[in-house]
Structures are given as structure tokens and as C-alpha cells.
Amino acid sequence: MDPAEYHTIYTVEDRHWWYVGMRHITLALLDEAYGRRTDLRILDAGSGAGAAMGYLARYGRVSGIDLSPLALGYCRERGLRRLSQASVTALPFAAASFDLVTSFDVLYHRAVGDYGHALREFHRVLQPGGRVLLRLPAYDRLRGRHDVVIHTARRFSAPELSESLREVGLAVERLTYANTLLFPLALAKRLLEPWLPAAPGQSDVSPNSPWIDGVLAAVLGAEARWLRRRDLPFGLTVVALARKRG
């Protein structure tokens, strides 16, 4: 990822509609899986600027890894300390060290290479019965300028992700799309991008007016309430919750 992108994410992710909405959706799924548990050993694999580590802490003790020293620096700015510089394909932890591994918008990245290696590492560090929660961009046809800036190697479909999880010994409990209500707008934007002006190297993550963030975050909040009980058939994002057998 371009270094400037980490700074942008750090400055906006606590209020930007995408990050706020994804937080609502993540917590909805974890609340259904864990209820009020606070004793989990959690690894956030690819912690970026660290916001997710903060809200995951309601479920237990969170450790984070990232390959980028710049990202880890922003995590430390947040006061986070259980950090390691490492790749998701070579985790510096013993087998069966964690109850939950999360990885949000990481495995799509071209620096990851074969994401199957990362899934095998997630499986290795999970205790039997432990879970992995993944969030990834959906549908290769939605590639756009944003993907160029953030170095996207691949986008995922639900069947592809399900098969990949099964191959490494993870049994899918939930597999759903998200960011469904905004899908038509995103598709229209991608189709119109060749004719829209854009600053070189600018991603879709940028400061917005508070009212825009508020409205769009509320849309994703509504989806989060739906996802507590039901899946969504398509969307900009694919989310999987899977359990290690045994």
C-alpha cells in the first residue's frame, strides 16, 4: 500500500462511513458468535492503523501483526502494544495460541502472494474449535482506481472463499456479502470512472462531510442488524466466519 494511504486511514477510520459501518457489521457477527465473552485470545492479522484492535478488545486480549513498520507506528500512536512486525503468511506464534483470528481487508493484497498460505497459518495458530473472521472485497468486475492505489491482487466471491476455507480445514459457519444496499451506487461509479476526474494516486478513502458519513454509516448499521440473523446475497464485501475442526 502507498505510505500516504496509511496516514489517510489513520486520520479518518474512526469516523469514515466505511470503517464505522464495517465495525457495526463485525461486532454484529461476533456478538452472535460469542455473546458477552471477554476472555478470548485474539489475533488481528494485518492490523493496519489499529482501529479494529481497539473495538475487538471488548472480547478479550488482542494481539496485532502487520508487515508495515509504518502501520505499526500508527498502532502505537493509538496506545496499542501487543504488536509484531510479521507477514500473515508466517505468523510468529505457536500452534493453538488463539481463540479467534481476524483479518480485515488484507488477503486481497498483492504483497500477500498465495493467500492459501495465510489461511493455513490462521488454522495453525487457532486452538481446536477456534474461529477465523475474514472480510474481503468482492467481485473482480468491481476493480477500479481504488484497487490500483491499494495494490489489489484479487477480489473474492463467496463460493471461492468457502472452498479455500474448506481446503485448509476450516468449517464455514457464516458466509455472507455485505454493503449490499450501496452496491448499485458503487457499480455505477466503477462504470463511470473512465470519464470522471481524479487526482493521481487517490483512493476512495478520504475525508467526507459529517452528514455523508452519518447517512452511509447508518445504511451499513441497518445491514448489521439484518446480518445478526440472515445473510445477504450480494454486495461490495464478502464476510466469512469459520471454525477450526476438532
Side-chain angles (χ1 to χ4, degrees), residues 64-84:
I65 65 107
D66 204 283
L67 192 59
S68 167
L70 185 60
L72 295 174
Y74 286 121
C75 289
R76 293 187 182 96
E77 287 289 322
R78 292 182 178 276
L80 302 168
R81 293 293 177 262
R82 295 188 186 95
L83 301 166
S84 300

Side-chain angles (χ1 to χ4, degrees), residues 161-197:
L161 186 55
S162 177
E163 178 63 17
S164 296
L165 290 166
R166 185 194 64 78
E167 287 177 353
V168 301
L170 292 165
V172 174
E173 293 184 326
R174 292 289 306 273
L175 183 62
T176 181
Y177 289 97
N179 209 335
T180 299
L181 296 174
L182 298 176
F183 184 88
L185 294 177
L187 181 59
K189 180 178 182 295
R190 288 291 185 258
L191 293 174
L192 292 172
E193 268 189 358
W195 295 277
L196 296 175

